Amino acid sequence: MSSVRFSDGPAPPVPPTGSKGARAALKDAPAPLSPQVTAVAPPHATVPDTRELAAQFEDEKPGRSLTGPVRLLVTGTTVGIALLALVQVFQPLTQGSKYYLILFLAGVLPTVFLAYPAGLSIPWRPGRTPASGDGPDPTGPTRSDWLLAAAALVACLYPVLPFTVGGGGGGYDAFLDRQGLLVGLDVAMGTVLLLLLLEACRRTTGWILPAVCLLFLAYGYYGGLLPQSWPVAHAGLDFSQLVDAFYNSDSGFYGTPLDVAASYIVLFTIYGAVLDLSGAGRFFVELSAAAFRRSRTAPGARRSPPASCSARSPAGAATTVSVGAVTWPVLRRAGYPAERAGGMLAAAGVGAILSPPTLGAAAFIIAEYLGVSYLQVLGWATIPTVLYYLGILLAVEIDARRSGVRPVVVHTDSPWRLLGRFGYHFLSLLVITGLLALGVSATKAVVGATVLAAALSFLDRRHRLTPARLVEALGAGARGVLAVSAVCAAAGIITATTTKTGLGPQAAALLVSGAQAVSSDPAVVLALTAVLAAVALSLLGLAVPVTASFVIGWVIIGPALLDLGVAAPAAAMFVFYFAVLSEVSPPTALAAVAAAAVTGGRLVPTMWQTLRYALPPT
């Protein structure tokens, strides 16, 4: 595939950079644009390392770069997880889906402690040297990581323990028979798993989600002490009841969110890894560059939305970085201010989570919650996605004409030539949609598309998926689902607490009554409730991953919309959209922070520019 070159007159002056974090993230010497695209940067352009920046600003924290035997162990475990997920599609375990989820979590959770560092500095007494491997910034798992991994393996496999220990164990059926009547060892193991999941979430996403889970846990335990006249008061639950709800029910750790991660998301991350290694990502970005190379209003501006839609990543921040590293040099040459360009990149990057045929993880949860096919969710998302990107493109055109930006010539192959040589990369995406339309399940459809993508890779000698590279793809795909699986399992704390206490209907009634206090007109009440829900979802998702934000929003805010007569699909997509939009909402706005790091622009103006582009399509 040819390289991308662009040229015009002298570069404009470098815009002032007011963000220290953004300036620190940029390197003085140019770095490769992307592992997928080779381009020649213009003079004076500073291009960040996309892999490092994506890790810095992703919802999920970067994992360790493992070497030696530990790397082989983690790779073997992740490949085993991938194979288990693939086998489950065609030959499900006879014990049922929950048994599969137990085995899946038993593979995922210990691997999280080996693959993700604790990120905590241990204070050592003066004059004492830390033991080997226990320093604050280890290159591999520490002894405490190995202990946590072992404890996670035991706690996860305890429900299927085939022999009796202290009144507990006795096999999977015996464990299910004790639902509501847990023995002491059951409660102890459930408590260990609860704490380990909170620590896994802290390692992969930060402190906010564990704090939210602990808040729900405290509400379940201490809610009985609230005045019973309060709408959110309940009878109260003791700790064993809470552990039973988390550990031995269908709404806890092994509820719908983890089921979605283990049944759908892992298969799509494997598919994404196969696509990436087959060269599809590079093709999509180059095709978008070629399609808009002759735009008189800055090809970089026009190609940002389609590039972000095709060169997608599980989260908006990573898409913003990968696409921004390619398009920012063009935007800069055209005369775009860094803040405006950053807003454009962030708004377009977040749209990737909304774009069919592979939406964000919450889309699969929507399908499971509503009991509909994934194809229906794709249909619901198509028109909003088109309107979203159309709104951004129109805003880009208006800004380009109003600001008088200079045209930039992009030297690349024609789009027809690229399509003729590498257009086969679209086939696997079309296969997913086609199989879903024929009534094939989403899991079998994505497996079929993955097999096709692997076979098509042999059409390009540089990207053939040899057995070694196929193992790499399986391992990378399963490793990509580690963090989201921990988040989904921890989300069971929220859903189980909400179910046991009846918090959902109570919070919904409180939200609706607040709107009814302003007006008795049903239309006004619905509008005010929607506004309050949008604000609540935006605030909720400021530092919580999109998947967790949707789960919390659906169990708390969803009932309010349903009570007012909103159709379930519309309510679910409303919650999903604003959960996604939280990635560009100040003051956190991870996608905007990532864009500012790419462009070197001031952080707060970049956030407001992002909202300026993202909000009109709403």
Side-chain angles (χ1 to χ4, degrees), residues 111-481:
T111 309
V112 168
F113 293 109
L114 301 181
Y116 289 85
L120 297 174
S121 299
I122 302 176
W124 298 96
R125 293 197 299 269
R128 180 179 176 181
T129 302
S132 175
D134 282 341
D137 187 23
T139 57
T142 64
R143 286 175 292 189
S144 58
D145 292 331
W146 287 106
L147 289 175
L148 291 175
L153 183 64
V154 172
C156 289
L157 292 179
Y158 171 77
V160 298
L161 193 68
F163 49 86
T164 303
V165 178
Y172 178 61
D173 292 336
F175 179 75
L176 294 182
D177 290 341
R178 293 197 297 273
Q179 185 173 355
L181 300 170
L182 298 186
V183 298
L185 187 59
D186 296 335
V187 175
M189 286 296 178
T191 303
V192 170
L193 185 55
L194 168 66
L195 296 175
L196 290 173
L197 282 172
L198 294 176
E199 169 60 11
C201 285
R202 186 198 65 80
R203 291 187 178 212
T204 56
T205 65
W207 289 96
I208 302 298
L209 181 57
V212 171
C213 292
L214 288 174
L215 183 63
F216 274 83
L217 180 63
Y219 170 73
Y221 188 73
Y222 293 107
L225 302 179
L226 296 174
Q228 293 302 303
S229 58
W230 288 16
V232 294
H234 60 87
L237 300 169
D238 61 37
F239 189 72
S240 62
Q241 288 176 308
L242 288 171
V243 172
D244 179 77
F246 300 153
Y247 198 33
N248 200 359
S249 76
D250 294 333
S251 62
F253 300 146
Y254 306 109
T256 298
L258 182 61
D259 190 16
V260 166
S263 302
Y264 297 97
I265 301 175
V266 64
L267 298 177
F268 275 86
T269 56
I270 294 171
Y271 170 60
V274 170
L275 272 184
D276 184 52
L277 288 177
S278 67
R282 174 179 175 177
F283 160 71
F284 291 142
V285 174
E286 286 204 7
L287 180 63
S288 64
F292 294 97
R293 61 177 177 166
R294 297 188 183 276
S295 168
R296 296 186 60 188
T297 52
R302 279 190 175 181
R303 84 186 194 215
S304 296
S308 65
C309 185
S310 55
R312 56 198 306 116
S313 178
T319 305
T320 299
V321 169
S322 61
V323 175
V326 179
T327 57
W328 162 236
V330 187
L331 295 171
R332 183 177 180 179
R333 299 286 290 187
Y336 272 92
E339 292 78 14
R340 183 173 295 177
M344 182 191 311
L345 295 171
V350 166
I353 310 176
L354 299 167
S355 305
T358 52
L359 288 78
F364 299 98
I365 300 179
I366 293 174
E368 289 295 312
Y369 278 166
L370 300 186
V372 299
S373 68
Y374 182 59
L375 183 62
Q376 288 183 270
V377 180
L378 295 185
W380 299 338
T382 298
I383 293 179
T385 300
V386 171
L387 293 176
Y388 181 86
Y389 279 110
L390 180 61
I392 295 176
L393 284 170
L394 291 176
V396 166
E397 289 293 330
I398 293 171
D399 278 352
R401 297 177 186 276
R402 180 186 301 167
S403 304
V405 296
R406 298 189 301 273
V408 180
V409 179
V410 177
H411 302 287
T412 184
D413 286 338
S414 71
W416 302 113
R417 183 176 178 181
L418 286 173
L419 281 173
R421 176 64 182 88
F422 301 103
Y424 59 83
H425 287 301
F426 282 112
L427 292 177
S428 62
L429 294 172
L430 296 176
V431 163
I432 292 179
T433 306
L435 290 177
L436 289 174
L438 293 174
V440 178
S441 66
T443 54
K444 292 182 179 179
V446 70
V447 171
T450 303
V451 173
L452 178 60
L456 292 175
S457 70
F458 286 87
L459 296 177
D460 187 350
R461 181 179 301 176
R462 295 167 298 176
H463 298 99
R464 292 176 178 174
L465 283 182
T466 60
R469 299 186 79 230
L470 184 59
V471 169
E472 179 185 353
L474 290 174
R479 181 160 178 172
V481 83

